Each structure stands twice: as structure tokens, then as C-alpha cells.
Amino acid sequence: MSLFSLKDKSILITGSSKGIGKSIAHQSALMGANVIISSRKLDACKTTAKEINDEIGREVAFPIACNIADDDQLKNLVDTTIDTLGSIDTVICNAATNTFMGSMLDMTIEQFDKVMHNNIRSNQLLCNLCLPDMVKKENGSIIIISSIAAIKGSSMLGAYNISKAADVMIVKNIAAEFGHKNIRANSIAPGLIKTDFAKGLWENPDILKAVLQTNPMQRIGYPDEIAGAAILLSSKAGSYINGQTIVIDGGVTAV
């Protein structure tokens, strides 16, 4: 069996009805996994699950609506996933919020709090909800989709950067505490990826030009280019990777 096989693995992915999350779900299913498609809107989850199931030829994708800002919905997401799939082998915290672009001086405290709640608190809570099942079977992989915003300052995305830096530390803490239980926790830090979430950046000609000038590959990335790292971290191929951040940015942070 391939080191990258996900045969019979159970994977929960937030924000997976579109963008990076959808790509991870699709590619994981192609590698043999059963996947939970989750986002706020059930209809969108159902549509994505059907697309994946139709391609695979059997039911491997299951829709569960969840607003990550709601604690009760997060608990229901985990409970329903375990009821549906039997366990959680990998949880991927992909859903995120960015409420404001501009100077931190112009950002309201309510906007700041929402970013911190959704991008840090919700991820920590979701991990905590999944960990008992992983500890019980002494196996599991936790992945948080961070960003190169975690390692680069920004004059426009200050709060988002702060939250993504905290996500990097969440996985390091989990790796340190639960590594002896064969539980691995890692983050993926994408650069600018062509998704609806980042449309405000790549559709802006001035921002796109500035990004391309600092990118050795002179292009932005695509969701499938993030999915490959998620498969690595979910599979036997990544079984000794723990507490790390994999940067996928075309070389932007290397120069």
C-alpha cells in the first residue's frame, strides 16, 4: 500500500464546501478516505459531497453544517462525525475569518474579536473536542491551515496575521503534550491561493502585482497545491512529522 494511501481513514475538514477545504476533501477521497464536508450552509455541503460521491462512485463524503463560531455546533460536528464515520483519524481546521483589511487603527474591537474567536478559539476548541477520541486509540493527526501571514508582518491584515501565528503555536502545544500518544499536530502555511476567501487580494491588480514581484515562481497558488501537503500529514508518509509548519508559497518567504 502506498505511503500516501488514506484507505478507510476518517477525515473531518471545516470550511470544506469550497476552496482549499474542498480540494483537500476531494483529493483525500481519491486516496481512499471518508470525509466530512462542513461549512455554515448545509446546501453547499450537500452539493460538494454529491460532487465527490459521484466522482468516486460510492458514498465517501458526508455533509454536516457547522458554524465554527458556535460552541454547540462544533460539539455537534464532532459527535455527528464519530456517529457517522466511527472515529476521527484526521481533523483539519481550515475554516477562517478575516473581517477587515486596512490599518489596525481603523479596525473595531468587535471586528478584532471575531477574527480571534473564529481563527484561534474555535480551532482550539475543535482540537480539544477531537483529542479524546484520538487519545483513546493512540493515533491521530491534527492539521490547522495557517498562512504565511503567521511569519510576515502586514500593514493591511494585522489581526489575521496575529490569529494565524497563534494557530502555529496551537499545533506545537498539541504536539508537545500528545506526541507520546502517537498524535501529530502540524500546520500548513499557504501563500496567496486562488480562492474566494482570498479574492480581495488576487483580484486587486496592485496587490497581485506586488505579490508576483516577490514570488520566484511569479504566480499565485491553487487549492490542489495545498491539498497535497494535507494528504502527506494525514497519511503514513507523514507519520514522523510533528509540531511543524509547512510553508507553501512558491518561494515568497525564501527570498
Side-chain angles (χ1 to χ4, degrees):
M1 186 178 294
S2 167
L3 282 173
F4 295 91
S5 172
L6 298 177
K7 181 176 173 56
D8 299 328
K9 292 290 187 181
S10 301
I11 301 181
L12 166 59
I13 312 159
T14 64
S16 49
S17 63
K18 59 183 179 180
I20 290 173
K22 180 179 179 179
S23 178
I24 293 172
H26 176 218
Q27 295 300 328
S28 296
L30 288 173
M31 297 302 290
N34 295 308
V35 297
I36 295 296
I37 306 300
S38 182
S39 66
R40 287 178 299 170
K41 298 179 180 179
L42 183 58
D43 286 347
C45 295
K46 287 181 175 179
T47 297
T48 294
K50 185 178 186 304
E51 288 177 12
I52 294 172
N53 290 334
D54 287 349
E55 179 173 347
I56 301 298
R58 58 189 176 88
E59 192 174 29
V60 297
F62 305 85
I64 304 174
C66 177
N67 180 349
I68 62 166
D70 187 301
D71 292 3
D72 290 335
Q73 289 190 41
L74 280 174
K75 186 177 187 307
N76 177 70
L77 174 63
V78 172
D79 290 344
T80 306
T81 297
I82 293 174
D83 287 343
T84 303
L85 302 183
S87 67
I88 299 172
D89 295 307
T90 297
V91 58
I92 301 175
C93 304
N94 171 65
T97 297
N98 182 34
T99 59
F100 182 80
M101 286 179 59
S103 170
M104 289 286 283
L105 295 177
D106 298 324
M107 186 179 199
T108 67
I109 196 62
E110 290 79 16
Q111 290 171 319
F112 181 87
D113 286 346
K114 185 174 182 179
V115 172
M116 299 304 133
H117 185 111
N118 289 4
N119 296 3
I120 304 174
R121 185 183 184 279
S122 295
N123 287 344
Q124 182 68 64
L125 177 56
L126 180 55
C127 292
N128 286 354
L129 290 168
C130 292
L131 275 163
D133 180 62
M134 294 179 174
V135 168
K136 185 177 179 180
K137 63 186 181 183
E138 295 195 358
N139 189 46
S141 176
I142 290 171
I143 303 169
I144 297 181
I145 306 300
S146 180
S147 168
I148 60 169
I151 53 180
K152 288 173 63 71
S154 171
S155 60
M156 296 196 312
L157 299 169
Y160 183 76
N161 287 35
I162 292 167
S163 71
K164 290 301 179 178
D167 285 336
V168 168
M169 189 51 65
I170 288 175
V171 299
K172 289 182 181 295
N173 288 340
I174 293 172
E177 184 173 357
F178 296 99
H180 73 287
K181 291 292 187 180
N182 197 36
I183 295 168
R184 299 171 295 105
N186 298 283
S187 62
I188 298 173
L192 182 57
I193 306 297
K194 194 169 186 178
T195 63
D196 287 345
F197 182 80
K199 187 179 288 188
L201 298 174
W202 56 262
E203 274 197 340
N204 183 308
D206 293 333
I207 294 175
L208 180 59
K209 181 180 178 180
V211 169
L212 297 183
Q213 284 177 341
T214 62
N215 189 324
M217 297 186 74
Q218 298 182 2
R219 68 172 177 86
I220 64 175
Y222 294 90
D224 278 354
E225 294 177 306
I226 308 304
I231 290 171
L232 165 69
L233 295 173
S234 300
S235 66
K236 189 175 181 180
S239 60
Y240 201 52
I241 303 174
N242 198 19
Q244 304 304 308
T245 298
I246 298 176
V247 176
I248 307 175
D249 66 353
V252 169
T253 55
V255 298

